[in-house]
Amino acid sequence: MKIEVLTSRVHGKGVFALCPMAASETVIEYVGEIISMAEAQRRHPHDPSNPEHTFYFHIDDTRVIDGLYGGNASRWINHSCRPNCEPVEVKGRVFIKTRRQIWRGEELTFNYGLVSDEPLTEEIKAKYACRCGAKKCKGTLLNE
């Protein structure tokens, strides 16, 4: 095992490296139940008390991976505006790969790149506030 889930300073739980990893190394596959976009909208939110927090990973315009059901540690990887990993889609499967050398004990992150159907107002950006702590943090999980 290369990773473990621990409490994160970024947000809630996070995924941390148990050993050094090379750049471009596959860390884990983002898995869960593959559902339609309509089913994801029907299930939303996973937690009514925190509706912006989900374990959805959009594969394409019609399919979503719901990591709440059948998911693994990958669902706990937090967002960062300066990520050390990136998701790579291969034939409908999503793999989390390192973007650079990772050190033992380092928290793994990727850019969520969330998209909103609503206009990007300050209120909407605040609903998806970023807590990554990067020097050039955008302040939101949303793509601008």
Side-chain angles (χ1 to χ4, degrees):
M1 181 63 90
K2 298 182 202 180
I3 58 173
E4 66 180 335
V5 177
L6 299 169
T7 300
S8 168
R9 67 171 183 75
V10 174
H11 180 256
K13 294 180 182 179
V15 176
F16 294 81
L18 286 172
C19 59
M21 291 180 242
S24 300
E25 188 172 328
T26 298
V27 178
I28 192 168
E29 182 177 359
Y30 196 100
V31 297
E33 184 180 359
I34 297 180
I35 58 174
S36 68
M37 187 67 73
E39 177 62 13
Q41 289 171 340
R42 187 192 70 72
R43 289 182 182 181
H44 186 74
H46 282 141
D47 178 0
S49 70
N50 188 7
E52 285 74 35
H53 184 263
T54 71
F55 295 112
Y56 296 134
F57 197 109
H58 293 232
I59 301 170
D60 54 37
D61 290 340
T62 61
R63 296 176 301 152
V64 174
I65 300 170
D66 186 349
L68 183 63
Y69 300 97
N72 58 16
S74 64
R75 68 185 177 184
W76 299 111
I77 298 175
N78 280 312
H79 164 89
S80 177
C81 294
R82 188 171 176 169
N84 53 22
C85 294
E86 63 187 342
V88 176
E89 188 266 330
V90 179
K91 298 180 181 179
R93 296 172 68 188
V94 176
F95 298 91
I96 307 301
K97 294 185 156 240
T98 58
R99 297 182 64 197
R100 60 163 175 78
Q101 168 81 40
I102 303 292
W103 304 105
R104 182 180 183 275
E106 188 174 354
E107 182 170 2
L108 305 180
T109 59
F110 65 86
N111 185 331
Y112 287 3
L114 299 181
V115 177
S116 174
D117 294 334
E118 302 174 62
L120 288 182
T121 63
E122 291 306 312
E123 183 181 12
I124 294 297
K125 288 181 189 178
K127 277 177 69 172
Y128 297 92
C130 180
R131 302 176 185 102
C132 75
K135 287 180 184 174
K136 294 186 179 180
C137 177
K138 299 180 306 179
T140 183
L141 306 178
L142 297 167
N143 268 349
E144 297 187 76

